Amino acid sequence: MTSSHRGSGPAVTVDGLRKSYGSFTAVDGIGFEIARGETFALLGPNGAGKSTTVEILEGYRERSGGEVSVLGADPRHATLEWKARIGIVLQQTGESGNVTVREQLTHFAGLYPHPRDVDEVIAAVGLEQKDKTRIKSLSGGQRRRVDVALGVIGRPELLFLDEPTTGFDPEARRQFWELIRTLSREGTTIVLTTHYLDEAAQLSDRAAVIAGGRLIDIGPVHELGSAEARVPLVRWRETESSAVREQRTLEPARFVAGLVAEHGEPAELEVIRPSLEDIYLELVGAAEAEAAA
Amino acid sequence: MSTTILTPGPLTGTTRESHFGPLRALRLGVRRIGYETKLYFRAGDTVFFTFLFPVVLLGIFSVAFGGLGNVGANPDGSGGISQAAYYLPGMIAAGILLSGVQNLGVDIAMERGDGTLKRLAGTPLPVISYFIGKMGQVLVTSLAQVILLLLLARVAFGVALPTEPAKWLTFVWVYLLGIVTAAVLGIAISRLPRSGKSASAVIIPPLLVLQFISGVYLSFALLPEWLQNIASIFPLKWIAQGMRAALLPDSFASAEAGGSWNLPGVAIALGIWLVVGLVVCRVTFRWIRKDS
Ligand SMILES: Nc1ncnc2c1ncn2[C@@H]1O[C@H](COP(=O)(O)OP(=O)(O)O)[C@@H](O)[C@H]1O
Ligand SMILES: [Mg+2]
């Protein structure tokens, strides 16, 4: 194993990445590092710049500024050797589709030096019953599974998945999660773009939240958001007709006990422990409000 | 739910550099030929409009104009060649144009539009292997088409094919130079359509006009001189002329512009187009339009 191949540095390094389409800046100075073997999620609303970022890492798009290193190389100068080490699932399914699932996987397996077994991959994405079906006759969710299968068939060291579970039914999604966990256990580095929080929470070690082309937070999914955002919220009305009141407190039970002692039973009392989703929405909302201001 | 566990295996760290050399490119190219050819025959519309079209036209022309008698006959009606024999070279030339330029021009533009090229760009498939696959597919399908045309002419319409080896030698080199040039030009013009959906609409009509002015459907000698001059810029006229030289009796040479087959002219014109096509491919071919 030469150092140029399985180096020990991070799988992905991004520093000050910028991308403009004409006068529009889609990615505005993003930076992060992804360790080898890590599963990393890029979270953000539609148009945040996730696909732009990922496709720059994959070598599909030119960047306007900043530094990028993927498996030790600049994706601008992608070689065949480098491409053999990464797997790509694009956001857009693209397929003329006059070929069966098995034919397509067999053909693509042949492009890689150490492909996975075609039968195993077909089984892992749950298409055993459809392996002799032409891709154009598959449902949207089934085609998406073919995309995922094609992304992993080459036994990549680094796998990019851009909104991979779009169109999946709940079972297909669970099965996909299982596949990703298996790949991760084998040591595959995974970069996952999603706007499903539960997916990021289920799969990723860390997540970066981007909105409006900027990185607004990064860290383990359960630690996203400010400490403040995770503080429980008590909401109530003093009487049926008075306005709703809110209070954030680390001791909601004590606070409610105080309320009762003071005013008697409050109306419509709620104690809310912000969910991941609440925290995320607040993060993104705040970033967007700031961008609009 | 089946939670299949994938067999763990070594990651791709120990791959030697030589694995990515020219031999691999060739091997993958050959594999692409099979894949591409399979896909070609599965697309019903290309099979009709590029593969069977000249065959069907040869049948129609031979039957429809059969009543007009032989071409180049003596005043008493003897001698000359049948309509089928007269149209055969033109239909082979049209087949070369369709199997090369039209087929690849539309095919690659659609592959660019539907994301196939983008997907391939993300794999370690060398561009040259992709081209080998396309060229091979053109060669295989076009050979089948030519054999079908020759068989139809011979078996159904009793066309006497040449017996002189020199004629067949002409046939072989005109065919090979023609089909390779057509395939390269097909790859070159696949950049023109802005989308996969518009590919057929952008590429097919000009090629159809070209077929009419290049002596495929209409006798070249009957066209006005200015139209002949325009047609002479393009390769189809030269392919058709070379095919006439190979398949028609030499007495027909006097009907050509300049009164001869002008085979050197055929070689030069096609050679220039081949080089131009290769340069355009080399300069303009990209897996994807970056940033799109
Ligand atoms: N090729 C392009 N040309 C112009 N604008 C683009 C292009 N691709 C993306 N954009 C714009 O850049 C922004 C980010 O897009 P994208 O990276 O696709 O976001 P995401 O994947 O997070 O939904 C969007 O506003 C989008 O409209
Ligand atoms: Mg996207």
Side-chain angles (χ1 to χ4, degrees), chain A residues 111-131:
Chain A
L111 306 180
Y112 293 88
H114 304 290
R116 289 181 192 280
D117 182 74
V118 169
D119 286 301
E120 280 183 3
V121 171
I122 289 176
V125 297
L127 287 175
E128 297 102 317
Q129 312 299 319
K130 294 284 178 186
D131 71 322

Side-chain angles (χ1 to χ4, degrees), chain B residues 106-129:
Chain B
V106 173
D107 181 33
I108 297 177
M110 298 216 315
E111 287 192 340
R112 183 171 285 117
D114 71 17
T116 302
L117 292 194
K118 188 167 184 180
R119 169 164 281 162
L120 290 176
T123 73
L125 176 73
V127 176
I128 189 71
S129 308

Side-chain angles (χ1 to χ4, degrees), chain B residues 146-219:
Chain B
V146 166
I147 290 170
L148 204 59
L149 280 166
L150 290 174
L151 274 179
L152 180 73
R154 180 78 199 87
V155 175
F157 301 110
V159 173
L161 297 176
T163 50
E164 309 92 311
K167 286 270 188 185
W168 283 109
L169 193 68
T170 304
F171 181 86
V172 169
W173 77 252
V174 171
Y175 170 73
L176 286 179
L177 186 56
I179 195 67
V180 171
T181 304
V184 166
L185 291 176
I187 296 172
I189 65 165
S190 71
R191 283 295 285 195
L192 292 181
R194 298 295 302 167
S195 74
K197 286 196 184 70
S198 67
S200 299
V202 170
I203 288 176
I204 293 181
L207 293 184
L208 199 60
V209 172
L210 199 58
Q211 289 166 66
F212 274 100
I213 66 169
S214 297
V216 167
Y217 304 136
L218 309 173
S219 170

Side-chain angles (χ1 to χ4, degrees), chain A residues 224-232 248 273-275 278-280 282-283:
Chain A
L224 289 178
S226 57
E228 151 91 342
R230 280 192 299 277
V231 172
R248 283 198 184 271
R273 190 164 291 276
S275 68
D278 297 328
I279 294 167
Y280 166 76
E282 190 177 307
L283 261 177

Side-chain angles (χ1 to χ4, degrees), chain A residues 21 24 26 45-52 61 91, chain B residues 291-292:
Chain A
Y21 297 108
F24 174 72
N46 291 328
K50 303 183 296 295
S51 296
T52 299
R61 302 193 199 204
Q91 181 170 1
Chain B
D291 296 343
S292 62

Side-chain angles (χ1 to χ4, degrees), chain A:
Chain A
M1 301 202 185
T2 59
S3 57
S4 73
H5 273 172
R6 313 231 44 225
S8 48
V12 175
T13 324
V14 176
D15 187 25
L17 178 64
R18 282 190 305 105
K19 172 68 185 177
S20 312
Y21 297 108
S23 62
F24 174 72
T25 304
V27 173
D28 194 4
I30 283 182
F32 54 81
E33 256 184 28
I34 304 173
R36 293 200 185 232
E38 186 177 16
T39 299
F40 185 84
L42 268 177
L43 276 168
N46 291 328
K50 303 183 296 295
S51 296
T52 299
T53 303
V54 171
E55 292 203 2
I56 288 170
L57 301 184
E58 293 162 345
Y60 280 120
R61 302 193 199 204
E62 297 285 358
R63 56 187 189 263
S64 313
E67 290 307 315
V68 173
S69 166
V70 176
L71 294 180
D74 185 334
R76 265 181 192 156
H77 312 296
T79 61
L80 297 177
E81 288 88 334
W82 183 84
K83 288 182 185 178
R85 296 162 68 205
I86 65 174
I88 296 173
V89 177
L90 293 165
Q91 181 170 1
Q92 238 92 33
T93 331
E95 208 60 63
S96 41
N98 253 324
V99 43
T100 70
V101 173
R102 175 173 298 278
E103 286 169 339
Q104 189 75 334
L105 280 165
T106 306
H107 181 69
F108 275 74
L111 306 180
Y112 293 88
H114 304 290
R116 289 181 192 280
D117 182 74
V118 169
D119 286 301
E120 280 183 3
V121 171
I122 289 176
V125 297
L127 287 175
E128 297 102 317
Q129 312 299 319
K130 294 284 178 186
D131 71 322
K132 293 193 182 62
T133 305
R134 297 228 181 140
I135 292 171
K136 68 172 177 195
S137 315
L138 297 176
S139 73
Q142 289 168 339
R143 273 193 224 190
R144 200 66 186 133
R145 298 196 217 180
V146 176
D147 291 337
V148 172
L150 290 170
V152 305
I153 192 75
R155 202 185 295 277
E157 282 170 55
L158 170 60
L159 175 62
F160 292 101
L161 300 148
D162 197 353
E163 299 192 18
T165 56
T166 311
F168 279 18
D169 57 37
E171 183 185 334
R173 172 164 304 172
R174 301 250 157 211
Q175 198 169 16
F176 167 80
W177 289 357
E178 200 49 50
L179 170 65
I180 296 305
R181 290 192 187 108
T182 307
L183 294 171
S184 179
R185 270 197 298 277
E186 285 181 21
T188 313
T189 309
I190 294 164
V191 182
L192 170 77
T193 286
T194 183
H195 46 221
Y196 296 114
L197 273 154
D198 57 336
E199 197 156 281
Q202 284 283 340
L203 298 176
S204 66
D205 302 311
R206 283 187 312 140
V209 179
I210 58 178
R214 290 171 193 271
L215 185 89
I216 53 179
D217 202 3
I218 184 165
V221 176
H222 290 281
E223 293 171 20
L224 289 178
S226 57
E228 151 91 342
R230 280 192 299 277
V231 172
L233 181 73
V234 180
R235 190 180 284 158
W236 76 99
R237 293 178 199 270
E238 277 167 16
T239 67
E240 294 290 342
S241 53
S242 60
V244 176
R245 300 198 44 193
E246 286 184 350
Q247 175 70 47
R248 283 198 184 271
T249 166
L250 289 166
E251 296 176 317
R254 188 185 298 275
F255 182 79
V256 170
L259 272 183
V260 175
E262 202 171 327
H263 305 285
E265 181 69 17
E268 298 174 34
L269 174 72
E270 288 179 286
V271 177
I272 302 153
R273 190 164 291 276
S275 68
L276 205 51
E277 183 139 345
D278 297 328
I279 294 167
Y280 166 76
L281 289 175
E282 190 177 307
L283 261 177
V284 169
E288 281 175 346
E290 191 179 319

